[in-house]
Amino acid sequence: MTDLPSRRLLLVHAHPDDESINNGATMARYAAEGAQVTLVTCTLGERGEVIPPALAHLTGAALGAHRLRELTAAMAELGVTDFRRLGGDGRYADSGMMGLPDNDDPACFWQADVDEAAGHLLRVIQEVRPQVLVTYDPDGGYGHPDHIQAHRVAMRAVELAADAGCAPAKVYWNRVPRTAGEDAFARLRRELPRLPFREAAALADVPGVVDDERITAEIDGGDAYTAAKAAAMAAHATQIEVHGDFFALSNELAQPVFRTEYYELVRGERGETGVLPAGGGDRASGRETDLFAGIAGIAEEAS
């Protein structure tokens, strides 16, 4: 692939909708700034629970096809044009929640050979040459088998890419700092009487919550990129109901839409970190505010 943008970001996710919930503002920001943003989704989410009654008939392959259309609409909201399925559409099936018989389906992602699946991702890395890769932690954020497997495949692909001389310079895991989560849920509880959701989720329901000191980078979506994130989440209508700054999954438990997205650097060197704005603010001193910070040879494309 020739004429690549100087900044290239690869995100590896388990199902359609995970990318918008976790990284929608980040993806929108970098796409708007001219970076190459590539999303690899490992399954089509064929076993997801459907929220709207009018779509409740969708199951299996039909649901997967519908969720792919939702993903296409979500990427349009984020300005992302390069989004792929690992190994091609339908190569790996949704594994269902942990402990269910679905996990034993030979076609599901949980049963995939990690090296084989990582080989598919390696080919994307060799084509796109991302300097930054984002994925889940070893628990997949909250223990879903497809999220755990996405972590394993992504990290193995990074190893293979290192052997091939094309490894990303930096690898981040999706995170939420505990204090930011506590603040967001306190605001949610105040707003809950005015929301259409039956009750609030708990902070423990949010994937990737860790102590604040684990956070090494944060991307503030501001108004524009947060709005794009919310619109992308709403495009995943089978899975997400969005109302203002809050949303719910099929359990109908309200959660906040995080306008700032947080990361833990697990491979590579930290770059220049942000500083506290005059008069204070939410930006934590010592955290990167650009995932590409410190990578040599990158031309600034942001306005």
Side-chain angles (χ1 to χ4, degrees):
M1 188 172 182
T2 59
D3 298 325
L4 290 167
S6 65
R7 294 185 297 170
R8 302 177 297 277
L9 170 65
L10 173 63
L11 304 101
V12 181
H13 277 289
H15 317 102
D17 80 1
D18 294 323
E19 81 296 323
S20 298
I21 295 171
N22 286 278
N23 310 115
T26 300
M27 295 172 72
R29 168 189 159 175
Y30 284 117
E33 291 178 355
Q36 170 72 31
V37 178
T38 299
L39 169 68
V40 173
T41 305
C42 297
T43 82
L44 291 176
E46 301 91 339
R47 292 188 166 104
E49 296 182 3
V50 176
I51 295 174
L55 299 176
H57 63 282
L58 292 173
T59 60
L63 176 57
H66 188 89
R67 293 189 69 177
L68 179 55
R69 291 192 290 272
E70 291 181 337
L71 179 63
T72 302
M75 292 304 95
E77 296 290 353
L78 299 180
V80 173
T81 58
D82 186 10
F83 52 103
R84 316 169 184 210
R85 271 59 62 204
L86 184 67
D89 288 351
R91 176 64 182 82
Y92 297 108
D94 188 340
S95 307
M97 298 300 289
M98 185 67 83
L100 296 179
D102 297 332
N103 304 163
D104 300 323
D105 181 352
C108 80
F109 189 46
W110 184 239
Q111 295 295 329
D113 180 86
V114 170
D115 278 351
E116 177 188 90
H120 294 308
L121 186 58
L122 173 62
R123 285 188 278 280
V124 177
I125 292 173
Q126 289 172 320
E127 176 189 342
V128 178
R129 300 287 172 143
Q131 298 107 332
V132 177
L133 183 147
V134 171
T135 192
Y136 312 108
D137 65 13
D139 185 50
Y142 71 111
H144 191 293
D146 286 333
H147 288 240
I148 295 171
Q149 190 78 319
H151 162 85
R152 293 172 177 170
V153 168
M155 299 307 291
R156 178 59 178 145
V158 170
E159 293 175 352
L160 296 175
D163 293 340
C166 58
K170 301 170 82 173
V171 176
Y172 291 93
W173 292 343
N174 291 303
R175 292 299 194 192
V176 174
R178 196 171 307 281
T179 56
E182 290 170 347
D183 291 345
F185 272 86
R187 179 169 53 87
L188 166 59
R189 288 190 291 272
R190 293 192 297 269
E191 295 290 330
L192 190 60
R194 293 181 285 277
L195 298 176
F197 307 121
R198 60 185 179 88
E199 59 182 285
L203 181 58
D205 297 319
V206 176
V209 175
V210 293
D211 292 340
D212 289 31
E213 57 266 25
R214 296 279 296 273
I215 308 301
T216 61
E218 59 178 54
I219 302 297
D220 184 351
D223 292 339
Y225 302 139
T226 302
K229 171 179 180 168
M233 290 172 62
H236 291 288
T238 60
Q239 308 299 304
I240 306 173
E241 181 181 355
V242 179
H243 188 84
D245 296 330
F246 306 97
F247 74 100
L249 302 173
S250 59
N251 59 13
E252 301 180 21
L253 300 178
Q255 297 187 42
V257 175
F258 286 96
R259 64 185 291 133
T260 299
E261 295 168 347
Y262 302 91
Y263 302 91
E264 179 183 2
L265 181 67
V266 297
R267 180 185 175 103
E269 298 296 324
R270 292 174 68 165
E272 182 178 353
T273 57
V275 296
L276 285 171
D282 294 332
R283 181 173 297 168
S285 178
R287 292 179 184 167
E288 297 172 312
T289 55
D290 178 8
L291 300 184
F292 294 91
I295 298 177
I298 292 183
E300 282 296 330
E301 293 158 340
S303 57

mmCIF file of all heavy atoms in Angstrom, residues 90-113:
data_model
loop_
_atom_site.group_PDB
_atom_site.id
_atom_site.type_symbol
_atom_site.label_atom_id
_atom_site.label_comp_id
_atom_site.label_asym_id
_atom_site.label_seq_id
_atom_site.Cartn_x
_atom_site.Cartn_y
_atom_site.Cartn_z
ATOM 1 N N GLY A 90 -17.789 -13.154 8.226
ATOM 2 C CA GLY A 90 -18.276 -14.457 8.651
ATOM 3 C C GLY A 90 -17.211 -15.493 8.909
ATOM 4 O O GLY A 90 -17.534 -16.669 9.162
ATOM 5 N N ARG A 91 -15.926 -15.105 8.867
ATOM 6 C CA ARG A 91 -14.866 -16.101 9.104
ATOM 7 C C ARG A 91 -14.951 -16.674 10.511
ATOM 8 O O ARG A 91 -14.758 -17.881 10.715
ATOM 9 C CB ARG A 91 -13.490 -15.454 8.880
ATOM 10 C CG ARG A 91 -12.299 -16.377 9.189
ATOM 11 C CD ARG A 91 -12.277 -17.565 8.247
ATOM 12 N NE ARG A 91 -11.195 -18.486 8.540
ATOM 13 C CZ ARG A 91 -11.232 -19.421 9.475
ATOM 14 N NH1 ARG A 91 -12.314 -19.552 10.233
ATOM 15 N NH2 ARG A 91 -10.218 -20.236 9.665
ATOM 16 N N TYR A 92 -15.240 -15.832 11.487
ATOM 17 C CA TYR A 92 -15.362 -16.287 12.876
ATOM 18 C C TYR A 92 -16.726 -15.875 13.416
ATOM 19 O O TYR A 92 -17.127 -14.723 13.302
ATOM 20 C CB TYR A 92 -14.259 -15.683 13.742
ATOM 21 C CG TYR A 92 -12.877 -16.111 13.309
ATOM 22 C CD1 TYR A 92 -12.017 -15.212 12.678
ATOM 23 C CD2 TYR A 92 -12.430 -17.415 13.505
ATOM 24 C CE1 TYR A 92 -10.755 -15.594 12.264
ATOM 25 C CE2 TYR A 92 -11.171 -17.816 13.094
ATOM 26 C CZ TYR A 92 -10.333 -16.900 12.469
ATOM 27 O OH TYR A 92 -9.080 -17.294 12.053
ATOM 28 N N ALA A 93 -17.421 -16.826 14.032
ATOM 29 C CA ALA A 93 -18.753 -16.571 14.577
ATOM 30 C C ALA A 93 -18.667 -16.076 16.008
ATOM 31 O O ALA A 93 -17.722 -16.382 16.740
ATOM 32 C CB ALA A 93 -19.602 -17.840 14.515
ATOM 33 N N ASP A 94 -19.658 -15.311 16.405
ATOM 34 C CA ASP A 94 -19.831 -14.859 17.785
ATOM 35 C C ASP A 94 -19.860 -16.076 18.715
ATOM 36 O O ASP A 94 -20.508 -17.089 18.421
ATOM 37 C CB ASP A 94 -21.155 -14.092 17.860
ATOM 38 C CG ASP A 94 -21.390 -13.383 19.177
ATOM 39 O OD1 ASP A 94 -20.763 -13.750 20.186
ATOM 40 O OD2 ASP A 94 -22.227 -12.464 19.190
ATOM 41 N N SER A 95 -19.179 -15.970 19.846
ATOM 42 C CA SER A 95 -19.073 -17.096 20.781
ATOM 43 C C SER A 95 -20.110 -17.082 21.884
ATOM 44 O O SER A 95 -20.169 -18.026 22.686
ATOM 45 C CB SER A 95 -17.671 -17.102 21.422
ATOM 46 O OG SER A 95 -16.667 -17.080 20.436
ATOM 47 N N GLY A 96 -20.935 -16.028 21.964
ATOM 48 C CA GLY A 96 -21.882 -15.935 23.065
ATOM 49 C C GLY A 96 -21.183 -15.602 24.369
ATOM 50 O O GLY A 96 -19.969 -15.453 24.441
ATOM 51 N N MET A 97 -21.964 -15.476 25.421
ATOM 52 C CA MET A 97 -21.404 -15.125 26.726
ATOM 53 C C MET A 97 -20.654 -16.310 27.328
ATOM 54 O O MET A 97 -20.933 -17.472 27.022
ATOM 55 C CB MET A 97 -22.521 -14.669 27.663
ATOM 56 C CG MET A 97 -23.260 -13.426 27.179
ATOM 57 S SD MET A 97 -22.183 -11.979 26.975
ATOM 58 C CE MET A 97 -21.821 -11.598 28.691
ATOM 59 N N MET A 98 -19.715 -16.007 28.207
ATOM 60 C CA MET A 98 -18.861 -17.037 28.799
ATOM 61 C C MET A 98 -19.694 -18.071 29.547
ATOM 62 O O MET A 98 -20.616 -17.742 30.291
ATOM 63 C CB MET A 98 -17.844 -16.382 29.737
ATOM 64 C CG MET A 98 -16.824 -17.367 30.301
ATOM 65 S SD MET A 98 -15.721 -18.009 29.022
ATOM 66 C CE MET A 98 -14.494 -16.690 28.923
ATOM 67 N N GLY A 99 -19.365 -19.339 29.321
ATOM 68 C CA GLY A 99 -20.001 -20.437 30.040
ATOM 69 C C GLY A 99 -21.212 -21.033 29.358
ATOM 70 O O GLY A 99 -21.770 -22.022 29.845
ATOM 71 N N LEU A 100 -21.605 -20.461 28.213
ATOM 72 C CA LEU A 100 -22.754 -20.995 27.486
ATOM 73 C C LEU A 100 -22.299 -22.067 26.490
ATOM 74 O O LEU A 100 -21.138 -22.079 26.062
ATOM 75 C CB LEU A 100 -23.477 -19.875 26.737
ATOM 76 C CG LEU A 100 -24.125 -18.788 27.601
ATOM 77 C CD1 LEU A 100 -24.776 -17.742 26.709
ATOM 78 C CD2 LEU A 100 -25.136 -19.387 28.557
ATOM 79 N N PRO A 101 -23.207 -22.960 26.083
ATOM 80 C CA PRO A 101 -22.848 -23.971 25.084
ATOM 81 C C PRO A 101 -22.332 -23.380 23.776
ATOM 82 O O PRO A 101 -21.587 -24.049 23.048
ATOM 83 C CB PRO A 101 -24.162 -24.736 24.870
ATOM 84 C CG PRO A 101 -24.917 -24.551 26.145
ATOM 85 C CD PRO A 101 -24.570 -23.171 26.621
ATOM 86 N N ASP A 102 -22.729 -22.131 23.486
ATOM 87 C CA ASP A 102 -22.245 -21.461 22.268
ATOM 88 C C ASP A 102 -20.719 -21.442 22.204
ATOM 89 O O ASP A 102 -20.140 -21.436 21.113
ATOM 90 C CB ASP A 102 -22.753 -20.020 22.218
ATOM 91 C CG ASP A 102 -24.261 -19.925 22.143
ATOM 92 O OD1 ASP A 102 -24.887 -20.865 21.618
ATOM 93 O OD2 ASP A 102 -24.821 -18.912 22.620
ATOM 94 N N ASN A 103 -20.072 -21.406 23.358
ATOM 95 C CA ASN A 103 -18.611 -21.359 23.395
ATOM 96 C C ASN A 103 -17.964 -22.576 22.753
ATOM 97 O O ASN A 103 -16.781 -22.539 22.388
ATOM 98 C CB ASN A 103 -18.097 -21.261 24.836
ATOM 99 C CG ASN A 103 -18.639 -20.102 25.637
ATOM 100 O OD1 ASN A 103 -18.534 -20.116 26.864
ATOM 101 N ND2 ASN A 103 -19.230 -19.108 24.993
ATOM 102 N N ASP A 104 -18.725 -23.679 22.652
ATOM 103 C CA ASP A 104 -18.178 -24.931 22.125
ATOM 104 C C ASP A 104 -18.359 -25.084 20.623
ATOM 105 O O ASP A 104 -17.902 -26.074 20.036
ATOM 106 C CB ASP A 104 -18.833 -26.123 22.835
ATOM 107 C CG ASP A 104 -18.586 -26.107 24.341
ATOM 108 O OD1 ASP A 104 -17.474 -25.707 24.745
ATOM 109 O OD2 ASP A 104 -19.495 -26.489 25.093
ATOM 110 N N ASP A 105 -19.018 -24.133 19.987
ATOM 111 C CA ASP A 105 -19.226 -24.186 18.543
ATOM 112 C C ASP A 105 -17.861 -24.115 17.842
ATOM 113 O O ASP A 105 -17.115 -23.153 18.030
ATOM 114 C CB ASP A 105 -20.102 -23.011 18.117
ATOM 115 C CG ASP A 105 -20.393 -22.984 16.632
ATOM 116 O OD1 ASP A 105 -19.809 -23.791 15.882
ATOM 117 O OD2 ASP A 105 -21.215 -22.141 16.217
ATOM 118 N N PRO A 106 -17.503 -25.124 17.046
ATOM 119 C CA PRO A 106 -16.184 -25.097 16.385
ATOM 120 C C PRO A 106 -15.969 -23.878 15.494
ATOM 121 O O PRO A 106 -14.818 -23.508 15.235
ATOM 122 C CB PRO A 106 -16.185 -26.387 15.552
ATOM 123 C CG PRO A 106 -17.198 -27.274 16.186
ATOM 124 C CD PRO A 106 -18.251 -26.353 16.733
ATOM 125 N N ALA A 107 -17.062 -23.261 15.038
ATOM 126 C CA ALA A 107 -16.937 -22.093 14.158
ATOM 127 C C ALA A 107 -16.781 -20.787 14.911
ATOM 128 O O ALA A 107 -16.521 -19.748 14.297
ATOM 129 C CB ALA A 107 -18.156 -22.002 13.241
ATOM 130 N N CYS A 108 -16.944 -20.813 16.234
ATOM 131 C CA CYS A 108 -16.928 -19.552 16.977
ATOM 132 C C CYS A 108 -15.502 -19.074 17.208
ATOM 133 O O CYS A 108 -14.537 -19.842 17.188
ATOM 134 C CB CYS A 108 -17.709 -19.679 18.284
ATOM 135 S SG CYS A 108 -16.836 -20.464 19.650
ATOM 136 N N PHE A 109 -15.390 -17.791 17.471
ATOM 137 C CA PHE A 109 -14.079 -17.154 17.625
ATOM 138 C C PHE A 109 -13.324 -17.705 18.829
ATOM 139 O O PHE A 109 -12.095 -17.830 18.796
ATOM 140 C CB PHE A 109 -14.283 -15.641 17.736
ATOM 141 C CG PHE A 109 -13.020 -14.831 17.678
ATOM 142 C CD1 PHE A 109 -12.043 -15.081 16.734
ATOM 143 C CD2 PHE A 109 -12.820 -13.776 18.564
ATOM 144 C CE1 PHE A 109 -10.878 -14.324 16.672
ATOM 145 C CE2 PHE A 109 -11.675 -13.007 18.509
ATOM 146 C CZ PHE A 109 -10.697 -13.281 17.569
ATOM 147 N N TRP A 110 -14.041 -18.064 19.882
ATOM 148 C CA TRP A 110 -13.406 -18.603 21.084
ATOM 149 C C TRP A 110 -12.640 -19.884 20.772
ATOM 150 O O TRP A 110 -11.638 -20.188 21.427
ATOM 151 C CB TRP A 110 -14.474 -18.848 22.141
ATOM 152 C CG TRP A 110 -14.007 -19.324 23.474
ATOM 153 C CD1 TRP A 110 -14.367 -20.479 24.105
ATOM 154 C CD2 TRP A 110 -13.129 -18.647 24.395
ATOM 155 N NE1 TRP A 110 -13.780 -20.572 25.340
ATOM 156 C CE2 TRP A 110 -13.017 -19.457 25.548
ATOM 157 C CE3 TRP A 110 -12.435 -17.437 24.352
ATOM 158 C CZ2 TRP A 110 -12.236 -19.107 26.645
ATOM 159 C CZ3 TRP A 110 -11.650 -17.075 25.450
ATOM 160 C CH2 TRP A 110 -11.557 -17.898 26.567
ATOM 161 N N GLN A 111 -13.103 -20.640 19.781
ATOM 162 C CA GLN A 111 -12.462 -21.893 19.407
ATOM 163 C C GLN A 111 -11.405 -21.720 18.315
ATOM 164 O O GLN A 111 -10.769 -22.696 17.904
ATOM 165 C CB GLN A 111 -13.517 -22.892 18.945
ATOM 166 C CG GLN A 111 -14.498 -23.331 20.015
ATOM 167 C CD GLN A 111 -13.817 -24.121 21.131
ATOM 168 O OE1 GLN A 111 -12.837 -24.820 20.900
ATOM 169 N NE2 GLN A 111 -14.326 -23.986 22.351
ATOM 170 N N ALA A 112 -11.198 -20.508 17.860
ATOM 171 C CA ALA A 112 -10.247 -20.272 16.768
ATOM 172 C C ALA A 112 -8.820 -20.550 17.218
ATOM 173 O O ALA A 112 -8.444 -20.320 18.374
ATOM 174 C CB ALA A 112 -10.359 -18.827 16.282
ATOM 175 N N ASP A 113 -8.020 -21.037 16.308
ATOM 176 C CA ASP A 113 -6.588 -21.164 16.543
ATOM 177 C C ASP A 113 -5.985 -19.759 16.580
ATOM 178 O O ASP A 113 -6.121 -18.994 15.623
ATOM 179 C CB ASP A 113 -5.951 -21.984 15.424
ATOM 180 C CG ASP A 113 -4.457 -22.146 15.612
ATOM 181 O OD1 ASP A 113 -4.052 -23.071 16.316
ATOM 182 O OD2 ASP A 113 -3.701 -21.311 15.050
#
